[in-house]
PDB file of all heavy atoms in Angstrom:
ATOM      1  N   ALA A   1     -40.777 -87.803-153.238  1.00  0.00           N
ATOM      2  CA  ALA A   1     -40.376 -88.493-152.016  1.00  0.00           C
ATOM      3  C   ALA A   1     -39.866 -87.495-150.974  1.00  0.00           C
ATOM      4  O   ALA A   1     -40.160 -87.638-149.780  1.00  0.00           O
ATOM      5  CB  ALA A   1     -39.294 -89.519-152.339  1.00  0.00           C
ATOM      6  N   LEU A   2     -39.134 -86.479-151.417  1.00  0.00           N
ATOM      7  CA  LEU A   2     -38.632 -85.464-150.490  1.00  0.00           C
ATOM      8  C   LEU A   2     -39.786 -84.674-149.884  1.00  0.00           C
ATOM      9  O   LEU A   2     -39.798 -84.413-148.674  1.00  0.00           O
ATOM     10  CB  LEU A   2     -37.668 -84.517-151.222  1.00  0.00           C
ATOM     11  CG  LEU A   2     -37.060 -83.399-150.391  1.00  0.00           C
ATOM     12  CD1 LEU A   2     -36.154 -83.975-149.320  1.00  0.00           C
ATOM     13  CD2 LEU A   2     -36.300 -82.441-151.268  1.00  0.00           C
ATOM     14  N   THR A   3     -40.774 -84.328-150.676  1.00  0.00           N
ATOM     15  CA  THR A   3     -41.949 -83.609-150.162  1.00  0.00           C
ATOM     16  C   THR A   3     -42.703 -84.468-149.154  1.00  0.00           C
ATOM     17  O   THR A   3     -43.127 -83.974-148.094  1.00  0.00           O
ATOM     18  CB  THR A   3     -42.871 -83.228-151.328  1.00  0.00           C
ATOM     19  OG1 THR A   3     -42.134 -82.534-152.313  1.00  0.00           O
ATOM     20  CG2 THR A   3     -44.017 -82.362-150.851  1.00  0.00           C
ATOM     21  N   THR A   4     -42.824 -85.739-149.459  1.00  0.00           N
ATOM     22  CA  THR A   4     -43.506 -86.650-148.540  1.00  0.00           C
ATOM     23  C   THR A   4     -42.750 -86.765-147.226  1.00  0.00           C
ATOM     24  O   THR A   4     -43.336 -86.774-146.139  1.00  0.00           O
ATOM     25  CB  THR A   4     -43.673 -88.025-149.182  1.00  0.00           C
ATOM     26  OG1 THR A   4     -44.378 -87.884-150.419  1.00  0.00           O
ATOM     27  CG2 THR A   4     -44.428 -88.974-148.277  1.00  0.00           C
ATOM     28  N   LEU A   5     -41.427 -86.858-147.291  1.00  0.00           N
ATOM     29  CA  LEU A   5     -40.616 -86.927-146.072  1.00  0.00           C
ATOM     30  C   LEU A   5     -40.728 -85.656-145.234  1.00  0.00           C
ATOM     31  O   LEU A   5     -40.772 -85.733-144.003  1.00  0.00           O
ATOM     32  CB  LEU A   5     -39.153 -87.194-146.418  1.00  0.00           C
ATOM     33  CG  LEU A   5     -38.836 -88.601-146.899  1.00  0.00           C
ATOM     34  CD1 LEU A   5     -37.371 -88.716-147.312  1.00  0.00           C
ATOM     35  CD2 LEU A   5     -39.139 -89.619-145.800  1.00  0.00           C
ATOM     36  N   LYS A   6     -40.822 -84.504-145.870  1.00  0.00           N
ATOM     37  CA  LYS A   6     -41.030 -83.252-145.122  1.00  0.00           C
ATOM     38  C   LYS A   6     -42.376 -83.269-144.412  1.00  0.00           C
ATOM     39  O   LYS A   6     -42.480 -82.883-143.237  1.00  0.00           O
ATOM     40  CB  LYS A   6     -40.953 -82.051-146.066  1.00  0.00           C
ATOM     41  CG  LYS A   6     -39.563 -81.654-146.463  1.00  0.00           C
ATOM     42  CD  LYS A   6     -39.601 -80.414-147.335  1.00  0.00           C
ATOM     43  CE  LYS A   6     -38.237 -80.016-147.796  1.00  0.00           C
ATOM     44  NZ  LYS A   6     -38.274 -78.834-148.697  1.00  0.00           N
ATOM     45  N   ASP A   7     -43.409 -83.730-145.118  1.00  0.00           N
ATOM     46  CA  ASP A   7     -44.744 -83.806-144.496  1.00  0.00           C
ATOM     47  C   ASP A   7     -44.743 -84.782-143.316  1.00  0.00           C
ATOM     48  O   ASP A   7     -45.340 -84.502-142.266  1.00  0.00           O
ATOM     49  CB  ASP A   7     -45.787 -84.247-145.523  1.00  0.00           C
ATOM     50  CG  ASP A   7     -46.044 -83.178-146.571  1.00  0.00           C
ATOM     51  OD1 ASP A   7     -45.689 -81.999-146.335  1.00  0.00           O
ATOM     52  OD2 ASP A   7     -46.580 -83.532-147.637  1.00  0.00           O
ATOM     53  N   VAL A   8     -44.082 -85.905-143.464  1.00  0.00           N
ATOM     54  CA  VAL A   8     -44.008 -86.884-142.387  1.00  0.00           C
ATOM     55  C   VAL A   8     -43.250 -86.307-141.211  1.00  0.00           C
ATOM     56  O   VAL A   8     -43.606 -86.521-140.036  1.00  0.00           O
ATOM     57  CB  VAL A   8     -43.356 -88.205-142.890  1.00  0.00           C
ATOM     58  CG1 VAL A   8     -42.994 -89.109-141.732  1.00  0.00           C
ATOM     59  CG2 VAL A   8     -44.291 -88.903-143.847  1.00  0.00           C
ATOM     60  N   SER A   9     -42.205 -85.542-141.468  1.00  0.00           N
ATOM     61  CA  SER A   9     -41.443 -84.914-140.389  1.00  0.00           C
ATOM     62  C   SER A   9     -42.300 -83.924-139.614  1.00  0.00           C
ATOM     63  O   SER A   9     -42.270 -83.894-138.375  1.00  0.00           O
ATOM     64  CB  SER A   9     -40.217 -84.208-140.974  1.00  0.00           C
ATOM     65  OG  SER A   9     -39.538 -83.490-139.978  1.00  0.00           O
ATOM     66  N   HIS A  10     -43.076 -83.122-140.330  1.00  0.00           N
ATOM     67  CA  HIS A  10     -43.969 -82.170-139.657  1.00  0.00           C
ATOM     68  C   HIS A  10     -45.039 -82.914-138.843  1.00  0.00           C
ATOM     69  O   HIS A  10     -45.371 -82.509-137.723  1.00  0.00           O
ATOM     70  CB  HIS A  10     -44.624 -81.223-140.665  1.00  0.00           C
ATOM     71  CG  HIS A  10     -43.692 -80.237-141.261  1.00  0.00           C
ATOM     72  ND1 HIS A  10     -43.084 -79.243-140.518  1.00  0.00           N
ATOM     73  CD2 HIS A  10     -43.239 -80.075-142.517  1.00  0.00           C
ATOM     74  CE1 HIS A  10     -42.306 -78.507-141.297  1.00  0.00           C
ATOM     75  NE2 HIS A  10     -42.377 -78.997-142.531  1.00  0.00           N
ATOM     76  N   LEU A  11     -45.584 -83.981-139.405  1.00  0.00           N
ATOM     77  CA  LEU A  11     -46.587 -84.747-138.667  1.00  0.00           C
ATOM     78  C   LEU A  11     -45.992 -85.400-137.426  1.00  0.00           C
ATOM     79  O   LEU A  11     -46.646 -85.461-136.383  1.00  0.00           O
ATOM     80  CB  LEU A  11     -47.184 -85.819-139.593  1.00  0.00           C
ATOM     81  CG  LEU A  11     -48.164 -85.319-140.652  1.00  0.00           C
ATOM     82  CD1 LEU A  11     -48.573 -86.465-141.569  1.00  0.00           C
ATOM     83  CD2 LEU A  11     -49.379 -84.696-140.016  1.00  0.00           C
ATOM     84  N   ALA A  12     -44.746 -85.849-137.520  1.00  0.00           N
ATOM     85  CA  ALA A  12     -44.090 -86.451-136.366  1.00  0.00           C
ATOM     86  C   ALA A  12     -43.897 -85.419-135.250  1.00  0.00           C
ATOM     87  O   ALA A  12     -44.051 -85.720-134.069  1.00  0.00           O
ATOM     88  CB  ALA A  12     -42.760 -87.075-136.758  1.00  0.00           C
ATOM     89  N   GLN A  13     -43.559 -84.197-135.627  1.00  0.00           N
ATOM     90  CA  GLN A  13     -43.398 -83.127-134.630  1.00  0.00           C
ATOM     91  C   GLN A  13     -44.736 -82.820-133.963  1.00  0.00           C
ATOM     92  O   GLN A  13     -44.802 -82.655-132.750  1.00  0.00           O
ATOM     93  CB  GLN A  13     -42.827 -81.865-135.280  1.00  0.00           C
ATOM     94  CG  GLN A  13     -41.380 -82.009-135.669  1.00  0.00           C
ATOM     95  CD  GLN A  13     -40.878 -80.784-136.442  1.00  0.00           C
ATOM     96  OE1 GLN A  13     -41.654 -79.899-136.789  1.00  0.00           O
ATOM     97  NE2 GLN A  13     -39.584 -80.757-136.717  1.00  0.00           N
ATOM     98  N   HIS A  14     -45.800 -82.742-134.744  1.00  0.00           N
ATOM     99  CA  HIS A  14     -47.124 -82.495-134.172  1.00  0.00           C
ATOM    100  C   HIS A  14     -47.559 -83.658-133.292  1.00  0.00           C
ATOM    101  O   HIS A  14     -48.166 -83.449-132.228  1.00  0.00           O
ATOM    102  CB  HIS A  14     -48.155 -82.268-135.285  1.00  0.00           C
ATOM    103  CG  HIS A  14     -48.001 -80.967-135.996  1.00  0.00           C
ATOM    104  ND1 HIS A  14     -48.211 -79.740-135.394  1.00  0.00           N
ATOM    105  CD2 HIS A  14     -47.619 -80.676-137.275  1.00  0.00           C
ATOM    106  CE1 HIS A  14     -47.991 -78.775-136.253  1.00  0.00           C
ATOM    107  NE2 HIS A  14     -47.626 -79.338-137.418  1.00  0.00           N
ATOM    108  N   LEU A  15     -47.242 -84.865-133.708  1.00  0.00           N
ATOM    109  CA  LEU A  15     -47.588 -86.049-132.915  1.00  0.00           C
ATOM    110  C   LEU A  15     -46.838 -86.027-131.586  1.00  0.00           C
ATOM    111  O   LEU A  15     -47.410 -86.331-130.541  1.00  0.00           O
ATOM    112  CB  LEU A  15     -47.255 -87.306-133.687  1.00  0.00           C
ATOM    113  CG  LEU A  15     -47.552 -88.627-132.980  1.00  0.00           C
ATOM    114  CD1 LEU A  15     -49.058 -88.773-132.782  1.00  0.00           C
ATOM    115  CD2 LEU A  15     -47.004 -89.792-133.788  1.00  0.00           C
ATOM    116  N   GLU A  16     -45.579 -85.645-131.610  1.00  0.00           N
ATOM    117  CA  GLU A  16     -44.785 -85.586-130.357  1.00  0.00           C
ATOM    118  C   GLU A  16     -45.367 -84.540-129.415  1.00  0.00           C
ATOM    119  O   GLU A  16     -45.471 -84.787-128.206  1.00  0.00           O
ATOM    120  CB  GLU A  16     -43.331 -85.257-130.699  1.00  0.00           C
ATOM    121  CG  GLU A  16     -42.405 -85.304-129.523  1.00  0.00           C
ATOM    122  CD  GLU A  16     -40.974 -85.032-129.918  1.00  0.00           C
ATOM    123  OE1 GLU A  16     -40.613 -85.290-131.083  1.00  0.00           O
ATOM    124  OE2 GLU A  16     -40.212 -84.564-129.059  1.00  0.00           O
ATOM    125  N   THR A  17     -45.757 -83.405-129.941  1.00  0.00           N
ATOM    126  CA  THR A  17     -46.376 -82.359-129.120  1.00  0.00           C
ATOM    127  C   THR A  17     -47.685 -82.856-128.521  1.00  0.00           C
ATOM    128  O   THR A  17     -47.947 -82.657-127.318  1.00  0.00           O
ATOM    129  CB  THR A  17     -46.632 -81.102-129.968  1.00  0.00           C
ATOM    130  OG1 THR A  17     -45.408 -80.679-130.563  1.00  0.00           O
ATOM    131  CG2 THR A  17     -47.196 -79.982-129.119  1.00  0.00           C
ATOM    132  N   THR A  18     -48.501 -83.519-129.329  1.00  0.00           N
ATOM    133  CA  THR A  18     -49.784 -84.031-128.853  1.00  0.00           C
ATOM    134  C   THR A  18     -49.582 -85.089-127.775  1.00  0.00           C
ATOM    135  O   THR A  18     -50.277 -85.086-126.746  1.00  0.00           O
ATOM    136  CB  THR A  18     -50.582 -84.618-130.028  1.00  0.00           C
ATOM    137  OG1 THR A  18     -50.732 -83.609-131.015  1.00  0.00           O
ATOM    138  CG2 THR A  18     -51.940 -85.089-129.565  1.00  0.00           C
ATOM    139  N   VAL A  19     -48.618 -85.985-127.977  1.00  0.00           N
ATOM    140  CA  VAL A  19     -48.365 -87.040-126.984  1.00  0.00           C
ATOM    141  C   VAL A  19     -47.875 -86.440-125.672  1.00  0.00           C
ATOM    142  O   VAL A  19     -48.270 -86.887-124.586  1.00  0.00           O
ATOM    143  CB  VAL A  19     -47.349 -88.083-127.549  1.00  0.00           C
ATOM    144  CG1 VAL A  19     -46.816 -88.978-126.470  1.00  0.00           C
ATOM    145  CG2 VAL A  19     -48.012 -88.893-128.638  1.00  0.00           C
ATOM    146  N   SER A  20     -47.033 -85.406-125.722  1.00  0.00           N
ATOM    147  CA  SER A  20     -46.567 -84.784-124.479  1.00  0.00           C
ATOM    148  C   SER A  20     -47.729 -84.094-123.761  1.00  0.00           C
ATOM    149  O   SER A  20     -47.815 -84.159-122.527  1.00  0.00           O
ATOM    150  CB  SER A  20     -45.442 -83.793-124.773  1.00  0.00           C
ATOM    151  OG  SER A  20     -45.911 -82.700-125.522  1.00  0.00           O
ATOM    152  N   LYS A  21     -48.637 -83.483-124.491  1.00  0.00           N
ATOM    153  CA  LYS A  21     -49.816 -82.857-123.863  1.00  0.00           C
ATOM    154  C   LYS A  21     -50.707 -83.927-123.238  1.00  0.00           C
ATOM    155  O   LYS A  21     -51.246 -83.719-122.128  1.00  0.00           O
ATOM    156  CB  LYS A  21     -50.601 -82.039-124.873  1.00  0.00           C
ATOM    157  CG  LYS A  21     -49.914 -80.747-125.283  1.00  0.00           C
ATOM    158  CD  LYS A  21     -50.740 -79.983-126.301  1.00  0.00           C
ATOM    159  CE  LYS A  21     -50.036 -78.703-126.738  1.00  0.00           C
ATOM    160  NZ  LYS A  21     -50.816 -77.975-127.750  1.00  0.00           N
ATOM    161  N   VAL A  22     -50.877 -85.040-123.908  1.00  0.00           N
ATOM    162  CA  VAL A  22     -51.694 -86.122-123.368  1.00  0.00           C
ATOM    163  C   VAL A  22     -51.051 -86.701-122.125  1.00  0.00           C
ATOM    164  O   VAL A  22     -51.738 -87.002-121.132  1.00  0.00           O
ATOM    165  CB  VAL A  22     -51.922 -87.231-124.437  1.00  0.00           C
ATOM    166  CG1 VAL A  22     -52.490 -88.485-123.838  1.00  0.00           C
ATOM    167  CG2 VAL A  22     -52.841 -86.708-125.542  1.00  0.00           C
ATOM    168  N   ASN A  23     -49.730 -86.824-122.116  1.00  0.00           N
ATOM    169  CA  ASN A  23     -49.041 -87.332-120.927  1.00  0.00           C
ATOM    170  C   ASN A  23     -49.238 -86.411-119.735  1.00  0.00           C
ATOM    171  O   ASN A  23     -49.457 -86.871-118.603  1.00  0.00           O
ATOM    172  CB  ASN A  23     -47.542 -87.510-121.203  1.00  0.00           C
ATOM    173  CG  ASN A  23     -47.257 -88.771-121.985  1.00  0.00           C
ATOM    174  OD1 ASN A  23     -48.043 -89.710-121.964  1.00  0.00           O
ATOM    175  ND2 ASN A  23     -46.135 -88.785-122.673  1.00  0.00           N
ATOM    176  N   VAL A  24     -49.184 -85.100-119.961  1.00  0.00           N
ATOM    177  CA  VAL A  24     -49.409 -84.152-118.881  1.00  0.00           C
ATOM    178  C   VAL A  24     -50.834 -84.272-118.364  1.00  0.00           C
ATOM    179  O   VAL A  24     -51.082 -84.272-117.142  1.00  0.00           O
ATOM    180  CB  VAL A  24     -49.111 -82.700-119.365  1.00  0.00           C
ATOM    181  CG1 VAL A  24     -49.602 -81.681-118.370  1.00  0.00           C
ATOM    182  CG2 VAL A  24     -47.617 -82.532-119.609  1.00  0.00           C
ATOM    183  N   THR A  25     -51.785 -84.407-119.272  1.00  0.00           N
ATOM    184  CA  THR A  25     -53.183 -84.533-118.870  1.00  0.00           C
ATOM    185  C   THR A  25     -53.424 -85.813-118.075  1.00  0.00           C
ATOM    186  O   THR A  25     -54.105 -85.809-117.053  1.00  0.00           O
ATOM    187  CB  THR A  25     -54.093 -84.505-120.113  1.00  0.00           C
ATOM    188  OG1 THR A  25     -53.832 -83.312-120.845  1.00  0.00           O
ATOM    189  CG2 THR A  25     -55.550 -84.576-119.727  1.00  0.00           C
ATOM    190  N   VAL A  26     -52.840 -86.938-118.546  1.00  0.00           N
ATOM    191  CA  VAL A  26     -53.017 -88.209-117.827  1.00  0.00           C
ATOM    192  C   VAL A  26     -52.352 -88.148-116.460  1.00  0.00           C
ATOM    193  O   VAL A  26     -52.930 -88.648-115.469  1.00  0.00           O
ATOM    194  CB  VAL A  26     -52.434 -89.370-118.682  1.00  0.00           C
ATOM    195  CG1 VAL A  26     -52.318 -90.632-117.869  1.00  0.00           C
ATOM    196  CG2 VAL A  26     -53.323 -89.603-119.896  1.00  0.00           C
ATOM    197  N   ASP A  27     -51.175 -87.520-116.360  1.00  0.00           N
ATOM    198  CA  ASP A  27     -50.544 -87.373-115.049  1.00  0.00           C
ATOM    199  C   ASP A  27     -51.393 -86.547-114.107  1.00  0.00           C
ATOM    200  O   ASP A  27     -51.522 -86.857-112.913  1.00  0.00           O
ATOM    201  CB  ASP A  27     -49.154 -86.735-115.197  1.00  0.00           C
ATOM    202  CG  ASP A  27     -48.151 -87.679-115.831  1.00  0.00           C
ATOM    203  OD1 ASP A  27     -48.392 -88.904-115.808  1.00  0.00           O
ATOM    204  OD2 ASP A  27     -47.112 -87.184-116.321  1.00  0.00           O
ATOM    205  N   ASP A  28     -52.003 -85.474-114.635  1.00  0.00           N
ATOM    206  CA  ASP A  28     -52.884 -84.639-113.821  1.00  0.00           C
ATOM    207  C   ASP A  28     -54.103 -85.411-113.349  1.00  0.00           C
ATOM    208  O   ASP A  28     -54.509 -85.315-112.197  1.00  0.00           O
ATOM    209  CB  ASP A  28     -53.297 -83.405-114.640  1.00  0.00           C
ATOM    210  CG  ASP A  28     -54.039 -82.377-113.792  1.00  0.00           C
ATOM    211  OD1 ASP A  28     -53.620 -82.169-112.636  1.00  0.00           O
ATOM    212  OD2 ASP A  28     -55.026 -81.796-114.288  1.00  0.00           O
ATOM    213  N   ILE A  29     -54.693 -86.192-114.239  1.00  0.00           N
ATOM    214  CA  ILE A  29     -55.853 -86.995-113.864  1.00  0.00           C
ATOM    215  C   ILE A  29     -55.476 -88.030-112.821  1.00  0.00           C
ATOM    216  O   ILE A  29     -56.205 -88.248-111.848  1.00  0.00           O
ATOM    217  CB  ILE A  29     -56.475 -87.670-115.102  1.00  0.00           C
ATOM    218  CG1 ILE A  29     -57.142 -86.611-115.979  1.00  0.00           C
ATOM    219  CG2 ILE A  29     -57.473 -88.751-114.722  1.00  0.00           C
ATOM    220  CD1 ILE A  29     -57.608 -87.109-117.316  1.00  0.00           C
ATOM    221  N   ASN A  30     -54.319 -88.694-112.989  1.00  0.00           N
ATOM    222  CA  ASN A  30     -53.881 -89.682-111.994  1.00  0.00           C
ATOM    223  C   ASN A  30     -53.654 -89.026-110.626  1.00  0.00           C
ATOM    224  O   ASN A  30     -54.001 -89.594-109.585  1.00  0.00           O
ATOM    225  CB  ASN A  30     -52.606 -90.373-112.460  1.00  0.00           C
ATOM    226  CG  ASN A  30     -52.875 -91.393-113.520  1.00  0.00           C
ATOM    227  OD1 ASN A  30     -53.967 -91.922-113.639  1.00  0.00           O
ATOM    228  ND2 ASN A  30     -51.866 -91.668-114.333  1.00  0.00           N
ATOM    229  N   TYR A  31     -53.071 -87.826-110.631  1.00  0.00           N
ATOM    230  CA  TYR A  31     -52.835 -87.111-109.369  1.00  0.00           C
ATOM    231  C   TYR A  31     -54.159 -86.804-108.690  1.00  0.00           C
ATOM    232  O   TYR A  31     -54.327 -87.008-107.484  1.00  0.00           O
ATOM    233  CB  TYR A  31     -52.043 -85.840-109.646  1.00  0.00           C
ATOM    234  CG  TYR A  31     -51.864 -84.961-108.444  1.00  0.00           C
ATOM    235  CD1 TYR A  31     -50.947 -85.306-107.457  1.00  0.00           C
ATOM    236  CD2 TYR A  31     -52.589 -83.798-108.296  1.00  0.00           C
ATOM    237  CE1 TYR A  31     -50.780 -84.495-106.342  1.00  0.00           C
ATOM    238  CE2 TYR A  31     -52.441 -82.997-107.186  1.00  0.00           C
ATOM    239  CZ  TYR A  31     -51.520 -83.342-106.212  1.00  0.00           C
ATOM    240  OH  TYR A  31     -51.363 -82.550-105.122  1.00  0.00           O
ATOM    241  N   LYS A  32     -55.118 -86.314-109.467  1.00  0.00           N
ATOM    242  CA  LYS A  32     -56.430 -85.966-108.897  1.00  0.00           C
ATOM    243  C   LYS A  32     -57.174 -87.219-108.407  1.00  0.00           C
ATOM    244  O   LYS A  32     -57.833 -87.168-107.376  1.00  0.00           O
ATOM    245  CB  LYS A  32     -57.263 -85.207-109.919  1.00  0.00           C
ATOM    246  CG  LYS A  32     -56.731 -83.790-110.133  1.00  0.00           C
ATOM    247  CD  LYS A  32     -57.516 -83.019-111.166  1.00  0.00           C
ATOM    248  CE  LYS A  32     -56.912 -81.649-111.338  1.00  0.00           C
ATOM    249  NZ  LYS A  32     -57.579 -80.878-112.381  1.00  0.00           N
ATOM    250  N   MET A  33     -57.050 -88.322-109.136  1.00  0.00           N
ATOM    251  CA  MET A  33     -57.688 -89.555-108.683  1.00  0.00           C
ATOM    252  C   MET A  33     -57.049 -90.056-107.393  1.00  0.00           C
ATOM    253  O   MET A  33     -57.756 -90.552-106.511  1.00  0.00           O
ATOM    254  CB  MET A  33     -57.568 -90.649-109.771  1.00  0.00           C
ATOM    255  CG  MET A  33     -58.414 -90.372-110.987  1.00  0.00           C
ATOM    256  SD  MET A  33     -60.173 -90.252-110.647  1.00  0.00           S
ATOM    257  CE  MET A  33     -60.507 -91.944-110.267  1.00  0.00           C
ATOM    258  N   ASP A  34     -55.731 -89.920-107.271  1.00  0.00           N
ATOM    259  CA  ASP A  34     -55.071 -90.298-106.015  1.00  0.00           C
ATOM    260  C   ASP A  34     -55.549 -89.428-104.871  1.00  0.00           C
ATOM    261  O   ASP A  34     -55.780 -89.916-103.756  1.00  0.00           O
ATOM    262  CB  ASP A  34     -53.548 -90.196-106.155  1.00  0.00           C
ATOM    263  CG  ASP A  34     -52.969 -91.280-107.029  1.00  0.00           C
ATOM    264  OD1 ASP A  34     -53.662 -92.323-107.224  1.00  0.00           O
ATOM    265  OD2 ASP A  34     -51.848 -91.107-107.525  1.00  0.00           O
ATOM    266  N   LYS A  35     -55.738 -88.140-105.129  1.00  0.00           N
ATOM    267  CA  LYS A  35     -56.229 -87.240-104.094  1.00  0.00           C
ATOM    268  C   LYS A  35     -57.679 -87.575-103.726  1.00  0.00           C
ATOM    269  O   LYS A  35     -58.063 -87.442-102.568  1.00  0.00           O
ATOM    270  CB  LYS A  35     -56.147 -85.772-104.552  1.00  0.00           C
ATOM    271  CG  LYS A  35     -54.745 -85.248-104.602  1.00  0.00           C
ATOM    272  CD  LYS A  35     -54.178 -85.239-103.205  1.00  0.00           C
ATOM    273  CE  LYS A  35     -52.763 -84.691-103.207  1.00  0.00           C
ATOM    274  NZ  LYS A  35     -52.146 -84.766-101.916  1.00  0.00           N
ATOM    275  N   LEU A  36     -58.484 -87.982-104.683  1.00  0.00           N
ATOM    276  CA  LEU A  36     -59.862 -88.370-104.385  1.00  0.00           C
ATOM    277  C   LEU A  36     -59.909 -89.695-103.637  1.00  0.00           C
ATOM    278  O   LEU A  36     -60.840 -89.926-102.829  1.00  0.00           O
ATOM    279  CB  LEU A  36     -60.661 -88.502-105.681  1.00  0.00           C
ATOM    280  CG  LEU A  36     -61.078 -87.197-106.353  1.00  0.00           C
ATOM    281  CD1 LEU A  36     -61.738 -87.488-107.688  1.00  0.00           C
ATOM    282  CD2 LEU A  36     -62.031 -86.425-105.453  1.00  0.00           C
ATOM    283  N   ASN A  37     -58.958 -90.580-103.851  1.00  0.00           N
ATOM    284  CA  ASN A  37     -58.967 -91.901-103.201  1.00  0.00           C
ATOM    285  C   ASN A  37     -58.488 -91.830-101.765  1.00  0.00           C
ATOM    286  O   ASN A  37     -58.776 -92.749-100.986  1.00  0.00           O
ATOM    287  CB  ASN A  37     -58.117 -92.890-103.976  1.00  0.00           C
ATOM    288  CG  ASN A  37     -58.844 -93.424-105.189  1.00  0.00           C
ATOM    289  OD1 ASN A  37     -60.057 -93.442-105.229  1.00  0.00           O
ATOM    290  ND2 ASN A  37     -58.094 -93.884-106.166  1.00  0.00           N
ATOM    291  N   GLU A  38     -57.735 -90.813-101.390  1.00  0.00           N
ATOM    292  CA  GLU A  38     -57.215 -90.741-100.021  1.00  0.00           C
ATOM    293  C   GLU A  38     -58.322 -90.743 -98.965  1.00  0.00           C
ATOM    294  O   GLU A  38     -58.255 -91.536 -98.018  1.00  0.00           O
ATOM    295  CB  GLU A  38     -56.319 -89.511 -99.867  1.00  0.00           C
ATOM    296  CG  GLU A  38     -54.964 -89.680-100.534  1.00  0.00           C
ATOM    297  CD  GLU A  38     -54.093 -88.432-100.416  1.00  0.00           C
ATOM    298  OE1 GLU A  38     -54.482 -87.508 -99.677  1.00  0.00           O
ATOM    299  OE2 GLU A  38     -53.046 -88.429-101.051  1.00  0.00           O
TER     300      GLU A  38
END
């Protein structure tokens, strides 16, 4: 159970990093779409 919890903790950290990168990418795309719509 302890080993599984460590693995889940590492996966949660990787997931948080991935979600933050996706948020930056989506914000960049939204900014560019707004610039294209002007």
Side-chain angles (χ1 to χ4, degrees):
L2 180 65
T3 307
T4 304
L5 287 176
K6 283 183 182 178
D7 291 342
V8 168
S9 175
H10 289 295
L11 286 174
Q13 289 174 353
H14 289 293
L15 180 66
E16 185 177 335
T17 304
T18 303
V19 167
S20 66
K21 288 179 181 179
V22 167
N23 282 337
V24 168
T25 304
V26 167
D27 289 341
D28 189 40
I29 290 172
N30 284 336
Y31 174 76
K32 288 179 182 177
M33 291 299 290
D34 288 340
K35 288 296 181 185
L36 284 174
N37 281 336
E38 286 178 8

